[in-house]
Amino acid sequence: MSLQFLWYIPNQIQPGHRGDDVVENHNSLESLTSHARTLEEHGWSGALIGTGWGRPDTFTVAAALAARTTTFQPLIAIRPGYWHPANFASAAATLDHLTGGRVMVNVVSGKDNLAAYGDSEGDQAHRYARTREFMRIVRRLWTEENVTYHGDHFSVTGSTVVPRPVVRGERRNPRLYFGGASEAAERVAATEADVQLFWGEPLDGVAERIARLRRLGEKLGREHPPLEFGLRVTTLVRDTTEQAWADAEAKVAEMAKGAISRDPNRHAAVGQQRLLELAARGEVLDDNLYTTPGRFGGGGAGTTWLVGSAEDVAKSLRKYEALGVTHFVLSDTPYLPEIKRQGERLLPLLTTAAGLPA
């Protein structure tokens, strides 16, 4: 199975996300387009575009960037409570049609300011039951005609989406990425997702979760092609191992002083708690998984970092690949220069036959 390497585009109202450069017009169309085009020029498949109330609308940003690029694939993060499944299925199919099949979707069920857009959140079981219905309906609308579905959370009657998503080879519709580490989330991933995204856990934790999800898919009667796996992690790459660690420690020192803002939702989810608890096992796990950022406000993909030379980080990513991970969503700040650096130094070690062994 071919590997896919994506980056992250910080569509944020406030500049300086996770220590990014503070520049004028950081979230203008011109600035965001420069990120997308630089990704195309340096070997990346595309980028994850995050979602959340109080940020630029993710789907609008993705559509604008897709229109200004030729190969860039947006991984569009969306929330079931923000979209009705039929509305989303139509919008995504239309964008997929217009871009020749470049759309990918990351379905998010985590914490957000739901009341601001009229949504409400029940308990965990309710939230993930709704997510499961959303994904089922969207997939059916992309692949079937005259869809009727009456569930506990959503309903459609005689619904057909036009135009249809692009069908190419084994691709029947845009891939549905999904994250979450709770038992309820894993049941959704095992049956409904195309790709399960992990944050930067140690190799043993990822191996355990892959095995559990595969068993769960068999137990629950998964109806789709086998679940694939992805890793969303910060990769701090420098010319030498020594320089990488010096820069990593300097950045954490800035975080400790409050110079880099804390992630506001860093205690909200089961998967996030798993990451924060890793620091108790040590500052560095496996070869170069740095857990200290989580102690000083790092959240999500910024909680743990893979640190080292391009060769060091490539060896670590190859080990995740050996476990079954085939989708990688990487990033570091400042985002734009790191697209170039890691595209030129890290990606060639991962995308050629001469790449480093696991």
Side-chain angles (χ1 to χ4, degrees), residues 17-66:
H17 182 252
R18 290 183 178 155
D20 194 15
D21 288 337
V22 177
V23 297
E24 188 176 2
N25 297 321
H26 72 284
N27 68 338
S28 68
L29 181 56
E30 288 70 25
S31 294
L32 295 174
T33 299
S34 72
H35 285 240
R37 288 179 174 168
T38 303
L39 286 164
E40 286 187 323
E41 294 163 1
H42 288 82
W44 302 90
S45 299
L48 170 64
I49 306 174
T51 189
W53 190 254
R55 300 169 72 167
D57 179 74
T58 309
F59 200 93
T60 304
V61 171
L65 296 183

Side-chain angles (χ1 to χ4, degrees), residues 141-159:
L141 289 170
W142 281 342
T143 58
E144 302 175 23
E145 297 183 359
N146 297 317
V147 174
T148 294
Y149 183 103
H150 298 298
D152 294 329
H153 306 278
F154 301 110
S155 295
V156 295
T157 301
S159 182

